[in-house]
Amino acid sequence: MRVSLSLLIGAAIAFLAPASIVQAATATTSFLVTATVLKFCTVVATPMAFGDYTSSTAALSTSTITVTCTAGTGYDIGLNEGDAAGATVTTRQMSGTTVTTARLNYFLYSDSGRTVNWGNTVGTDVVHLTAGAVPIISTVYGRVPAGQFVAPDAYLDTIDVTVTY
């Protein structure tokens, strides 16, 4: 095997060269890291069951609405009038499931004294809150007033919960 003289001389020079000639080099840069946090809310509600009703006494019940929003987000919780034809947010109506023309009036409130109607108009009759670090649970207070004489039946309604943020 033949090795050229110039290759041997180059290898010898590299071996004998001072350390200051052979140095490591670096190059650096940086990059920007970004994210945009958007306003976002989720909502979950529990059923409201009044149980057995007789016209002699009012029936009371509650439901809870759990809202989880991005921290610092202001929001309003509104409750619509329900599914019964002719119902309003001030007088909601459950419909009979077998006697379809029968209606049982009920009311929804935002306070435990059952005096503040809970409606669906932002700035008027909704609940306004600001999200923190944990979900906020709001209670809906319901009342079926005494003195309603309706046919025996199972009555129901569906309330839509709207969170505006």
Side-chain angles (χ1 to χ4, degrees), residues 59-79:
L60 305 177
S61 187
T62 61
S63 169
T64 58
I65 298 171
T66 303
V67 178
T68 306
C69 291
T70 310
T73 300
Y75 61 91
D76 296 293
I77 305 171
L79 306 178

Side-chain angles (χ1 to χ4, degrees), residues 63-141:
S63 169
T64 58
I65 298 171
T66 303
V67 178
T68 306
C69 291
T70 310
T73 300
Y75 61 91
D76 296 293
I77 305 171
L79 306 178
N80 78 340
E81 66 278 3
D83 292 340
T88 66
V89 295
T90 54
T91 304
R92 292 171 170 94
Q93 298 177 328
M94 290 180 269
S95 300
T97 57
T98 58
V99 183
T100 57
T101 59
R103 300 281 190 268
L104 184 62
N105 292 335
Y106 71 102
F107 303 89
L108 299 178
Y109 304 96
S110 59
D111 67 312
S112 61
R114 291 176 171 82
T115 60
V116 180
N117 182 66
W118 197 331
N120 206 29
T121 304
V122 173
T124 302
D125 57 1
V126 299
V127 170
H128 179 78
L129 298 164
T130 300
V134 297
I136 297 176
I137 300 172
S138 300
T139 302
V140 182
Y141 300 90

Side-chain angles (χ1 to χ4, degrees), residues 3 15 27 38 42 55 57-58 63 81 89 95-96 100 105 113 119 144 151-152 156 162:
V3 179
F15 180 73
L38 302 176
T42 60
S55 60
T57 59
S63 169
E81 66 278 3
V89 295
S95 300
T100 57
N105 292 335
V144 177
L156 61 85
T162 302

Side-chain angles (χ1 to χ4, degrees), residues 26-30:
T26 61
T28 63
T29 190
S30 59

